[in-house]
Structure formats: structure tokens, C-alpha cells
Amino acid sequence: AGEGEGGGDGAAEHASNSPGRALVQEEARPVSMWESLFSGGGGAGAGGESSLFGSGGAHVRGLYLWSRSPGTGKTMLMDMFFDAVPLAAKRRVHFHDFMLDVHGRTHRVGSVADPLATVADGLAAEARLLCLDELMVTDVADAMMIGRLFDALWARGVVVVGTSNRHPTELYENGLQRELFMPFIDAVQERCVVHEIASGTDYRHRATLSSASTYFVGEDEHERLKERVRLTSGEPCVLEPDEVAVQMGRTIKVPRAAKLNRAALFRYDELCGEPVGAADFLGLLKAYPTLALSGVPIFDAGNKHTAYRFVTLVDVAYDQRAKLLIGAAGTPLELFENVVTVKEARETATSGETPNPYQVVDDNLGFAKERTISRLTEMQTKEYILTTKAMAHEHLKETRETKRRRAI
């Protein structure tokens, strides 16, 4: 079966046989376990809201769910909890997107005495439960504001649930002026239950690879991707330049776009070689939920900064359920074979092994590589492809075309 076959049956198969469901069966942890992690949990208050949502102050608790291993089900468990909480005022968002929103709100409030307090007022008015996926701090500007922002949210009664690949004490490790960030780490450990998902299984690797390839390795990968983009909807489509508006009046030039199919093709340097970030990727993927990227290199010291952008692109694409087609110089594992953490580099040095001349010693990239490899692997599976926004768009187009033909 191809990517678009199976419609409803495929969706049913995804719901019952997905690696996430395997995790649920193995862990057997109902939503009540999550509620018990909050002080005051158990039972329901007025209006059917769980008693974990108190009136604010010291009684407001949260959860910080972490695992260094990727694919252990952190996001899936958080999403199950989010869906099950009988509360209208709740928000689930990727941490990248949340901080972009915070910066945008801060800019819009203008010259008030305490911009972050005003931003916190707005966020708290919109959501009493805030679920943040992939909490990771690498930017000094974010690090300097996060502590005050979350103190303000907690003071306003917002319950924060987050997932991360790092223990709170490892957040913003080796960052500039980290001593100013330490109070936030202390607050997270005081305000939240810190819970490790200590599973050695990456459930993304249990899924079934799609029969229609989305990841290509070889010299002709660009041409193969171009053909995939042209035929996204099953019929040839002309590729032409386009320009996409993103945040703050910025735009991204799209060198090859199949507008009818909402699919775009970039060479690696045309996208990751430019000064782009999460906000740019988010705007691009909203316009083109199918994105093809050719020429992804093996990462080394010479292209470390573009590797950061590639990791961010994969994170945003995964969170947005975009279809990401990749042409690369190696497998996902091979792309990051030169990337190590400081600890790994020290272990190699003391073991007497010959140093790798292409080695990239970087904690942030080192921690991110396993997650990125895991996500690139999952993005090739039938289960993932059936849930993408691109798949929904293609199904809608197919339905419209069928109706048109019947009308004729």
C-alpha cells in the first residue's frame, strides 16, 4: 500500500497498533497516575475541574517529565493527559513556539512597567493548564526571562506540565550567565514533580516503514526529491519560486514550490545555510506542509551552526506533523556520527582512542542528536505519514477531484 491508501482503515490501524499504544500497554499507567503527581489531586471540584487546579500560590503544582532516551513516550503521555483533563482553558504547545509567542507578546505590550507581568496576565487568562513539549533552553535571551515569566505564571495559578530530554539541573548547561538562570531550576524542582521515564526502548523504531520512501541517500537524491514534490498529489505539478510571510514582517524565499500541492523543495544551504529559526520554519510549514530538503551533509566542526538549524527544523516539522522528505549524505545515524557531548569527548580522551578530526564537541547538539535521529526515523513510518497535515491536504484534494469528476 502507498502513503495515501487505506484512509479510515489506516487511521484505525494507527490508533490500535502504533508504537505509542504499545507503550501504554507496557506501562499501564492511567490518567489518575498523572493526577496523583499533583498536590491536592484526586476527585473533582466545582464545574467538574480536577482539584489539582487550585486558586494559585504555593498549592499549584506541575510535572516535569524527562528522559535522556528518545522515543520513550513522554510527549504521548502528556498529550493523553491534556486530552483527558476536563478543562476548557488549557493549552498544549511546543516550547519553541511558546517562547516565540512570549517574545511577540512582549514586543506588542510596549513600554509598560513590567512587560512580563502583563504577558503572564494574558497567558493565565487564556489557560489554567499549560503543557509544554520539549523544554530546552539554549538562548541567553530566553534564559534571562524564563525564571520571572514562570514565577508570574505560577503566582497566577497556572499549572505547568513539561517534557524534556534533560533533568532540570542540566538545563542551559554551560550557558552564558547561567548563575542568573539557577533560580528557575530551583523553582522547577520545588514547584513540579520531576519524573523520569526510565525506558530503554525507542518506540519509534517499532513502527512500520512506509512503502513510499521519504528519506533518500545517494548522488541523485535531489532529482528524486524533485520528482516526489512534483507528484505529491499523484499528478505532475510545475515547480516555481514563491515567497512566504513569517513573523515580524519577515519572509522566506522558496526556490521550488508546487503551490497546488503545497509542497516545497530546498537545497540544504538554501534553507539551513540562511539565518533562520523556529519562527521561520513554523511559517514555512504552515504554507507548505510537505517540505523536501536535499543535500543534508554529515555534520562536523565546519557546519555545526547549520546543524543547529537542521535540528530545529526537524523539531518544528515533527511538532507540526509536517511531511519532511530528506535527501542526505548518510542515514540519520551517520549524519550525527561526529557529534559528541563534553562527557563523551572526555571519556574518549582518557581511553586512549585516536581522536576524531571531524569531531564536534557540543552538549546541546550532543543531547539533541538522539532525539533528531529518532524523529527522522519515525517520519519515515506509515503511522507518522498517515497523521501528517500534508496527508490531510492530499486527501481533501482527492475528495474534491472525485466529486468534480462525478459531476462531469
Side-chain angles (χ1 to χ4, degrees):
E3 292 175 15
E5 296 178 11
D9 292 340
E13 179 184 348
H14 170 59
S16 59
N17 297 330
S18 70
R21 292 298 170 190
L23 173 65
V24 172
Q25 294 163 9
E26 183 174 307
E27 296 281 337
R29 294 178 179 177
V31 173
S32 59
M33 182 277 285
W34 288 72
E35 292 190 354
S36 71
L37 292 171
F38 297 84
S39 63
E49 294 177 10
S50 169
S51 59
L52 65 90
F53 296 95
S55 58
H59 297 293
V60 176
R61 298 283 286 175
L63 177 67
Y64 185 99
L65 190 63
W66 75 283
S67 172
R68 288 194 182 89
S69 301
T72 56
K74 301 181 295 296
T75 297
M76 188 206 70
L77 288 171
M78 184 183 73
D79 287 346
M80 289 176 65
F81 169 70
F82 180 84
D83 291 340
V85 170
L87 186 72
K90 57 184 179 178
R91 181 184 183 190
R92 188 271 190 207
V93 61
H94 192 278
F95 188 70
H96 268 315
D97 299 342
F98 175 70
M99 290 310 299
L100 289 171
D101 181 35
V102 168
H103 285 294
R105 290 172 185 246
T106 304
H107 177 75
R108 290 192 295 272
V109 298
S111 55
V112 297
D114 190 346
L116 282 180
T118 303
V119 169
D121 286 337
L123 292 170
E126 296 167 9
R128 296 181 63 196
L129 169 65
L130 181 61
C131 290
L132 300 171
D133 192 31
E134 297 295 349
L135 201 157
M136 183 175 70
V137 184
T138 58
D139 182 78
V140 64
D142 289 347
M144 295 304 102
M145 73 159 58
I146 282 174
R148 289 178 52 226
L149 173 64
F150 278 83
D151 281 344
L153 290 174
W154 283 318
R156 287 157 176 76
V158 177
V159 172
V160 179
V161 176
T163 70
S164 181
N165 288 108
R166 297 193 178 195
H167 187 274
T169 56
E170 297 171 339
L171 289 173
Y172 197 52
E173 201 165 35
N174 301 319
L176 294 173
Q177 297 181 300
R178 189 171 187 257
E179 66 278 3
L180 300 179
F181 183 78
M182 294 303 295
F184 172 67
I185 293 176
D186 295 337
V188 167
Q189 296 185 100
E190 178 184 347
R191 289 280 191 172
C192 299
V193 173
V194 178
H195 185 79
E196 180 182 12
I197 300 294
S199 171
T201 302
D202 186 340
Y203 290 91
R204 292 169 183 152
H205 290 288
R206 290 189 174 185
T208 305
L209 288 178
S210 170
S211 58
S213 297
T214 60
Y215 195 104
F216 302 92
V217 178
E219 294 181 359
D220 61 342
E221 37 92 10
H222 181 79
E223 293 304 317
R224 294 167 73 185
L225 284 177
K226 183 186 291 185
E227 195 65 12
R228 287 297 308 278
V229 169
R230 287 181 63 249
L231 298 173
T232 299
S233 62
E235 296 182 8
C237 183
V238 176
L239 300 185
E240 56 186 327
D242 192 18
E243 195 164 2
V244 175
V246 291
Q247 287 194 357
M248 303 290 187
R250 286 169 50 83
T251 61
I252 286 185
K253 291 183 178 180
V254 181
R256 303 160 202 88
K259 294 182 181 180
L260 182 63
N261 297 340
R262 294 182 68 196
L265 170 62
F266 288 81
R267 293 187 186 275
Y268 180 79
D269 288 340
E270 292 171 342
L271 186 59
C272 296
E274 297 296 318
V276 290
D280 303 303
F281 295 140
L282 184 62
L284 177 62
L285 291 169
K286 285 182 177 178
Y288 290 101
T290 295
L291 181 65
L293 188 68
S294 69
V296 180
I298 304 295
F299 299 121
D300 56 32
N303 56 27
K304 181 178 77 170
H305 295 297
T306 68
Y308 267 106
R309 296 182 190 124
F310 179 74
V311 167
T312 301
L313 171 63
V314 173
D315 282 344
V316 175
Y318 185 85
D319 189 65
Q320 293 296 309
R321 306 308 288 181
K323 183 191 286 187
L324 192 61
L325 309 177
I326 297 293
T331 65
L333 185 63
E334 290 169 340
L335 295 183
F336 290 90
E337 62 187 0
N338 298 320
V339 178
V340 296
T341 62
V342 172
K343 180 181 178 182
E344 291 169 338
R346 287 172 179 165
E347 290 173 351
T348 300
T350 56
S351 68
E353 294 182 29
T354 303
N356 176 359
Y358 302 103
Q359 190 175 79
V360 180
V361 182
D362 188 295
D363 272 346
N364 290 323
L365 207 54
F367 274 106
K369 72 175 182 180
E370 297 298 336
R371 179 182 77 247
T372 307
I373 292 168
S374 177
R375 288 182 167 180
L376 286 171
T377 302
E378 183 183 355
M379 285 174 164
Q380 301 176 55
T381 65
K382 180 172 67 175
E383 288 87 345
Y384 177 87
I385 292 170
L386 286 172
T387 63
T388 60
K389 293 178 180 178
M391 193 69 195
H393 171 69
E394 289 162 28
H395 177 69
L396 179 61
K397 281 184 59 183
E398 182 180 336
T399 302
R400 288 174 177 170
E401 181 63 18
T402 301
K403 289 181 179 178
R404 185 187 68 81
R405 288 174 179 170
R406 286 176 179 172
I408 295 173

mmCIF file of all heavy atoms in Angstrom, residues 143-144 147 168-174 176-189:
data_model
loop_
_atom_site.group_PDB
_atom_site.id
_atom_site.type_symbol
_atom_site.label_atom_id
_atom_site.label_comp_id
_atom_site.label_asym_id
_atom_site.label_seq_id
_atom_site.Cartn_x
_atom_site.Cartn_y
_atom_site.Cartn_z
ATOM 1 N N ALA A 143 16.861 32.473 28.455
ATOM 2 C CA ALA A 143 17.305 32.092 29.797
ATOM 3 C C ALA A 143 17.104 33.217 30.808
ATOM 4 O O ALA A 143 16.747 32.978 31.960
ATOM 5 C CB ALA A 143 18.785 31.690 29.754
ATOM 6 N N MET A 144 17.301 34.465 30.374
ATOM 7 C CA MET A 144 17.200 35.596 31.286
ATOM 8 C C MET A 144 15.757 35.940 31.650
ATOM 9 O O MET A 144 15.512 36.571 32.677
ATOM 10 C CB MET A 144 17.895 36.815 30.683
ATOM 11 C CG MET A 144 19.411 36.675 30.497
ATOM 12 S SD MET A 144 20.310 36.270 32.025
ATOM 13 C CE MET A 144 20.624 34.504 31.816
ATOM 14 N N GLY A 147 12.773 32.559 34.129
ATOM 15 C CA GLY A 147 12.522 32.483 35.566
ATOM 16 C C GLY A 147 11.411 33.420 36.008
ATOM 17 O O GLY A 147 10.463 33.006 36.692
ATOM 18 N N PRO A 168 16.111 18.834 35.103
ATOM 19 C CA PRO A 168 16.140 20.283 35.324
ATOM 20 C C PRO A 168 17.521 20.841 35.626
ATOM 21 O O PRO A 168 17.871 21.935 35.170
ATOM 22 C CB PRO A 168 15.194 20.476 36.519
ATOM 23 C CG PRO A 168 14.233 19.350 36.410
ATOM 24 C CD PRO A 168 15.020 18.189 35.861
ATOM 25 N N THR A 169 18.344 20.093 36.363
ATOM 26 C CA THR A 169 19.670 20.594 36.724
ATOM 27 C C THR A 169 20.604 20.698 35.520
ATOM 28 O O THR A 169 21.670 21.318 35.607
ATOM 29 C CB THR A 169 20.322 19.693 37.783
ATOM 30 O OG1 THR A 169 20.374 18.341 37.288
ATOM 31 C CG2 THR A 169 19.515 19.729 39.074
ATOM 32 N N GLU A 170 20.219 20.092 34.389
ATOM 33 C CA GLU A 170 21.057 20.122 33.190
ATOM 34 C C GLU A 170 20.610 21.182 32.182
ATOM 35 O O GLU A 170 21.259 21.360 31.153
ATOM 36 C CB GLU A 170 21.037 18.749 32.509
ATOM 37 C CG GLU A 170 21.616 17.644 33.376
ATOM 38 C CD GLU A 170 21.398 16.259 32.780
ATOM 39 O OE1 GLU A 170 20.486 16.108 31.939
ATOM 40 O OE2 GLU A 170 22.118 15.334 33.170
ATOM 41 N N LEU A 171 19.502 21.862 32.485
ATOM 42 C CA LEU A 171 19.017 22.888 31.564
ATOM 43 C C LEU A 171 20.013 24.044 31.457
ATOM 44 O O LEU A 171 20.603 24.467 32.451
ATOM 45 C CB LEU A 171 17.669 23.433 32.041
ATOM 46 C CG LEU A 171 16.463 22.493 31.924
ATOM 47 C CD1 LEU A 171 15.245 23.113 32.602
ATOM 48 C CD2 LEU A 171 16.154 22.163 30.460
ATOM 49 N N TYR A 172 20.199 24.544 30.251
ATOM 50 C CA TYR A 172 21.085 25.681 29.974
ATOM 51 C C TYR A 172 22.491 25.433 30.525
ATOM 52 O O TYR A 172 23.172 26.345 30.987
ATOM 53 C CB TYR A 172 20.492 26.965 30.559
ATOM 54 C CG TYR A 172 21.079 28.242 30.009
ATOM 55 C CD1 TYR A 172 21.158 28.468 28.630
ATOM 56 C CD2 TYR A 172 21.556 29.240 30.858
ATOM 57 C CE1 TYR A 172 21.707 29.634 28.134
ATOM 58 C CE2 TYR A 172 22.098 30.424 30.364
ATOM 59 C CZ TYR A 172 22.174 30.606 29.006
ATOM 60 O OH TYR A 172 22.724 31.765 28.503
ATOM 61 N N GLU A 173 22.922 24.167 30.463
ATOM 62 C CA GLU A 173 24.242 23.809 30.985
ATOM 63 C C GLU A 173 25.332 24.493 30.162
ATOM 64 O O GLU A 173 25.287 24.509 28.935
ATOM 65 C CB GLU A 173 24.406 22.290 30.924
ATOM 66 C CG GLU A 173 25.461 21.757 31.857
ATOM 67 C CD GLU A 173 25.354 20.252 32.039
ATOM 68 O OE1 GLU A 173 24.993 19.558 31.071
ATOM 69 O OE2 GLU A 173 25.640 19.781 33.147
ATOM 70 N N ASN A 174 26.294 25.075 30.854
ATOM 71 C CA ASN A 174 27.416 25.804 30.237
ATOM 72 C C ASN A 174 26.970 27.065 29.495
ATOM 73 O O ASN A 174 27.730 27.616 28.687
ATOM 74 C CB ASN A 174 28.196 24.892 29.267
ATOM 75 C CG ASN A 174 28.758 23.663 29.951
ATOM 76 O OD1 ASN A 174 29.255 23.744 31.070
ATOM 77 N ND2 ASN A 174 28.667 22.518 29.287
ATOM 78 N N LEU A 176 25.788 31.099 28.941
ATOM 79 C CA LEU A 176 26.272 32.384 29.432
ATOM 80 C C LEU A 176 25.453 32.852 30.622
ATOM 81 O O LEU A 176 24.223 32.766 30.612
ATOM 82 C CB LEU A 176 26.202 33.431 28.306
ATOM 83 C CG LEU A 176 27.123 33.218 27.100
ATOM 84 C CD1 LEU A 176 26.795 34.238 26.017
ATOM 85 C CD2 LEU A 176 28.581 33.336 27.526
ATOM 86 N N GLN A 177 26.121 33.356 31.644
ATOM 87 C CA GLN A 177 25.472 33.876 32.857
ATOM 88 C C GLN A 177 24.475 32.862 33.438
ATOM 89 O O GLN A 177 23.379 33.213 33.868
ATOM 90 C CB GLN A 177 24.760 35.205 32.546
ATOM 91 C CG GLN A 177 25.715 36.313 32.103
ATOM 92 C CD GLN A 177 24.995 37.628 31.829
ATOM 93 O OE1 GLN A 177 24.125 37.678 30.962
ATOM 94 N NE2 GLN A 177 25.356 38.665 32.553
ATOM 95 N N ARG A 178 24.883 31.603 33.484
ATOM 96 C CA ARG A 178 23.971 30.558 33.959
ATOM 97 C C ARG A 178 23.576 30.766 35.418
ATOM 98 O O ARG A 178 22.504 30.319 35.854
ATOM 99 C CB ARG A 178 24.607 29.175 33.798
ATOM 100 C CG ARG A 178 23.612 28.022 34.065
ATOM 101 C CD ARG A 178 24.209 26.683 33.695
ATOM 102 N NE ARG A 178 23.215 25.627 33.784
ATOM 103 C CZ ARG A 178 23.139 24.751 34.786
ATOM 104 N NH1 ARG A 178 24.005 24.829 35.802
ATOM 105 N NH2 ARG A 178 22.222 23.803 34.788
ATOM 106 N N GLU A 179 24.415 31.446 36.184
ATOM 107 C CA GLU A 179 24.081 31.670 37.593
ATOM 108 C C GLU A 179 22.763 32.434 37.739
ATOM 109 O O GLU A 179 22.041 32.263 38.732
ATOM 110 C CB GLU A 179 25.219 32.418 38.308
ATOM 111 C CG GLU A 179 25.469 33.844 37.838
ATOM 112 C CD GLU A 179 26.310 33.947 36.583
ATOM 113 O OE1 GLU A 179 26.676 32.886 36.023
ATOM 114 O OE2 GLU A 179 26.614 35.092 36.172
ATOM 115 N N LEU A 180 22.436 33.273 36.742
ATOM 116 C CA LEU A 180 21.165 34.006 36.788
ATOM 117 C C LEU A 180 19.976 33.115 36.428
ATOM 118 O O LEU A 180 18.834 33.469 36.681
ATOM 119 C CB LEU A 180 21.224 35.200 35.820
ATOM 120 C CG LEU A 180 22.323 36.233 36.098
ATOM 121 C CD1 LEU A 180 22.279 37.347 35.055
ATOM 122 C CD2 LEU A 180 22.175 36.814 37.505
ATOM 123 N N PHE A 181 20.268 31.954 35.848
ATOM 124 C CA PHE A 181 19.225 31.004 35.458
ATOM 125 C C PHE A 181 18.940 29.987 36.567
ATOM 126 O O PHE A 181 17.874 29.363 36.581
ATOM 127 C CB PHE A 181 19.689 30.268 34.187
ATOM 128 C CG PHE A 181 18.691 29.305 33.617
ATOM 129 C CD1 PHE A 181 17.610 29.752 32.879
ATOM 130 C CD2 PHE A 181 18.847 27.934 33.792
ATOM 131 C CE1 PHE A 181 16.691 28.865 32.339
ATOM 132 C CE2 PHE A 181 17.948 27.039 33.253
ATOM 133 C CZ PHE A 181 16.857 27.509 32.517
ATOM 134 N N MET A 182 19.860 29.839 37.503
ATOM 135 C CA MET A 182 19.744 28.822 38.541
ATOM 136 C C MET A 182 18.469 28.918 39.379
ATOM 137 O O MET A 182 17.890 27.889 39.745
ATOM 138 C CB MET A 182 20.976 28.851 39.456
ATOM 139 C CG MET A 182 22.273 28.453 38.757
ATOM 140 S SD MET A 182 22.199 26.807 38.010
ATOM 141 C CE MET A 182 22.009 25.789 39.475
ATOM 142 N N PRO A 183 17.968 30.135 39.720
ATOM 143 C CA PRO A 183 16.719 30.197 40.486
ATOM 144 C C PRO A 183 15.544 29.521 39.774
ATOM 145 O O PRO A 183 14.655 28.960 40.433
ATOM 146 C CB PRO A 183 16.479 31.705 40.635
ATOM 147 C CG PRO A 183 17.843 32.301 40.591
ATOM 148 C CD PRO A 183 18.598 31.468 39.593
ATOM 149 N N PHE A 184 15.526 29.539 38.439
ATOM 150 C CA PHE A 184 14.456 28.859 37.699
ATOM 151 C C PHE A 184 14.563 27.342 37.888
ATOM 152 O O PHE A 184 13.550 26.660 38.075
ATOM 153 C CB PHE A 184 14.526 29.205 36.216
ATOM 154 C CG PHE A 184 13.573 28.403 35.366
ATOM 155 C CD1 PHE A 184 12.204 28.572 35.482
ATOM 156 C CD2 PHE A 184 14.059 27.460 34.457
ATOM 157 C CE1 PHE A 184 11.319 27.827 34.707
ATOM 158 C CE2 PHE A 184 13.182 26.722 33.673
ATOM 159 C CZ PHE A 184 11.810 26.901 33.807
ATOM 160 N N ILE A 185 15.779 26.815 37.856
ATOM 161 C CA ILE A 185 15.971 25.383 38.074
ATOM 162 C C ILE A 185 15.467 24.988 39.460
ATOM 163 O O ILE A 185 14.767 23.978 39.627
ATOM 164 C CB ILE A 185 17.460 25.013 37.916
ATOM 165 C CG1 ILE A 185 17.891 25.205 36.460
ATOM 166 C CG2 ILE A 185 17.724 23.579 38.377
ATOM 167 C CD1 ILE A 185 19.371 24.968 36.218
ATOM 168 N N ASP A 186 15.806 25.804 40.470
ATOM 169 C CA ASP A 186 15.332 25.536 41.836
ATOM 170 C C ASP A 186 13.813 25.593 41.901
ATOM 171 O O ASP A 186 13.179 24.754 42.561
ATOM 172 C CB ASP A 186 15.933 26.550 42.817
ATOM 173 C CG ASP A 186 17.454 26.430 42.926
ATOM 174 O OD1 ASP A 186 17.982 25.339 42.625
ATOM 175 O OD2 ASP A 186 18.103 27.435 43.291
ATOM 176 N N ALA A 187 13.224 26.554 41.198
ATOM 177 C CA ALA A 187 11.765 26.707 41.226
ATOM 178 C C ALA A 187 11.070 25.523 40.562
ATOM 179 O O ALA A 187 10.033 25.048 41.046
ATOM 180 C CB ALA A 187 11.365 28.011 40.525
ATOM 181 N N VAL A 188 11.633 25.028 39.454
ATOM 182 C CA VAL A 188 11.046 23.870 38.778
ATOM 183 C C VAL A 188 11.026 22.671 39.713
ATOM 184 O O VAL A 188 10.012 21.965 39.831
ATOM 185 C CB VAL A 188 11.840 23.525 37.488
ATOM 186 C CG1 VAL A 188 11.429 22.151 36.956
ATOM 187 C CG2 VAL A 188 11.606 24.577 36.425
ATOM 188 N N GLN A 189 12.126 22.447 40.428
ATOM 189 C CA GLN A 189 12.198 21.285 41.325
ATOM 190 C C GLN A 189 11.308 21.456 42.555
ATOM 191 O O GLN A 189 10.861 20.466 43.137
ATOM 192 C CB GLN A 189 13.652 21.048 41.724
ATOM 193 C CG GLN A 189 14.526 20.670 40.529
ATOM 194 C CD GLN A 189 15.938 20.322 40.917
ATOM 195 O OE1 GLN A 189 16.305 19.147 41.024
ATOM 196 N NE2 GLN A 189 16.752 21.336 41.160
#
